[in-house]
Amino acid sequence: EAGVAQSPRYKIIEKRQSVAFWCNPISGHATLYWYQQILGQGPKLLIQFQNNGVVDDSQLPKDRFSAERLKGVDSTLKIQPAKLEDSAVYLCASSLFLGGSTGELFFGEGSRLTVL
Amino acid sequence: DQQVKQNSPSLSVQEGRISILNCDYTNSMFDYFLWYKKYPAEGPTFLISISSIKDKNEDGRFTVFLNKSAKHLSLHIVPSQPGDSAVYFCAASSGGNEKLTFGTGTRLTIIP
């Protein structure tokens, strides 16, 4: 079974530039998450989708971050304009369904962003 | 507001001995707890979990203990093996929602 795919693995940009990350979840997984992991910290949830609808985006900085999940499969996370503090690893995760499950999320390898 | 805390950033253990990783939480609404393991340049992978209706869950060399009154859980690995060297994250969720709140992680190093 193929895992969660993310690209690019690494990206270096200058502040105020824009960047986009792509995620392809495990086939059949209805729920998709984007987490931000800053060095030395645990992953922090940015946004949670079920199919193509947003379940929770309360911690997404909406003035600069946006995310979409067209057709309930792939997802894209965009940052525009980037700030220095956005330097982090962006992790995509997926799970089978929302609610009443074991809470096991399957993570991709992450996209490491460096903002100079 | 750090709702899930792992106060030990690092831990070194001799191969074959027991590794004990600790985690504390403040949100009494959390009812499901998980441990994830992360190798460098990889995403976290699920290790073991426990529901708040239990106080212990065991899976091979890994056992998780939950003390609800103290809002504390621990992960025991015995015997520890070199391949266990990784960063371990404690995570929690509530109400059947899979939204996870993570701790800051503990880097475990197993010394051969």
Side-chain angles (χ1 to χ4, degrees):
Chain A
E1 178 182 80
V4 176
Q6 290 188 244
S7 68
R9 288 295 310 276
Y10 305 93
K11 188 75 175 178
I12 301 174
I13 62 173
E14 297 195 347
K15 58 184 179 182
R16 291 188 291 273
Q17 287 186 325
S18 63
V19 63
F21 302 112
W22 172 83
C23 173
N24 188 337
I26 293 173
S27 177
H29 280 195
T31 311
L32 184 147
Y33 309 78
W34 283 101
Y35 279 83
Q36 179 193 57
Q37 186 180 11
I38 293 172
L39 186 65
Q41 300 181 19
K44 184 185 85 170
L45 179 68
L46 292 176
I47 189 166
Q48 178 183 13
F49 293 94
Q50 184 181 12
N51 297 312
N52 61 349
V54 175
V55 175
D56 185 343
D57 64 357
S58 57
Q59 298 192 83
L60 187 73
K62 298 181 187 60
D63 57 334
R64 298 183 300 106
F65 286 66
S66 65
E68 60 182 7
R69 190 184 183 195
L70 300 177
K71 301 181 182 178
V73 182
D74 293 10
S75 178
T76 302
L77 175 71
K78 296 179 181 177
I79 307 174
Q80 181 180 12
K83 292 186 174 181
L84 296 176
E85 58 261 37
D86 298 332
S87 294
V89 176
Y90 290 86
L91 293 162
C92 179
S94 68
S95 65
L96 272 174
F97 54 87
L98 181 68
S101 73
T102 61
E104 180 179 351
L105 307 186
F106 295 83
F107 284 87
E109 294 179 321
S111 295
R112 180 179 295 277
L113 173 66
T114 301
V115 182
L116 303 176
Chain B
D1 176 25
Q2 192 71 30
Q3 298 186 64
V4 178
K5 301 176 185 178
Q6 294 176 257
N7 293 319
S8 298
S10 63
L11 175 68
S12 295
V13 175
Q14 289 281 348
E15 182 179 359
R17 304 295 290 269
I18 183 171
S19 297
I20 300 176
L21 294 89
N22 294 303
C23 177
D24 297 295
Y25 62 96
T26 57
N27 188 339
S28 58
M29 298 301 292
F30 288 145
D31 57 9
Y32 204 84
F33 304 89
L34 308 92
W35 285 92
Y36 278 78
K37 176 180 180 180
K38 185 180 184 305
Y39 291 119
E42 294 185 12
T45 55
F46 171 76
L47 188 59
I48 193 170
S49 63
I50 188 168
S51 164
S52 60
I53 62 173
K54 295 184 175 182
D55 53 19
K56 176 183 175 181
N57 188 27
E58 192 171 354
D59 183 2
R61 296 186 297 114
F62 304 91
T63 303
V64 57
F65 295 92
L66 176 62
N67 183 332
K68 288 187 291 294
S69 61
K71 294 191 176 66
H72 176 83
L73 65 156
S74 61
L75 173 68
H76 292 210
I77 306 172
V78 56
S80 299
Q81 299 175 353
D84 296 331
S85 295
V87 177
Y88 289 79
F89 290 99
C90 173
S93 66
S94 62
N97 188 322
E98 293 173 335
K99 184 175 94 170
L100 297 181
T101 300
F102 283 86
T104 53
T106 296
R107 181 178 301 278
L108 176 64
T109 302
I110 305 302
I111 304 166

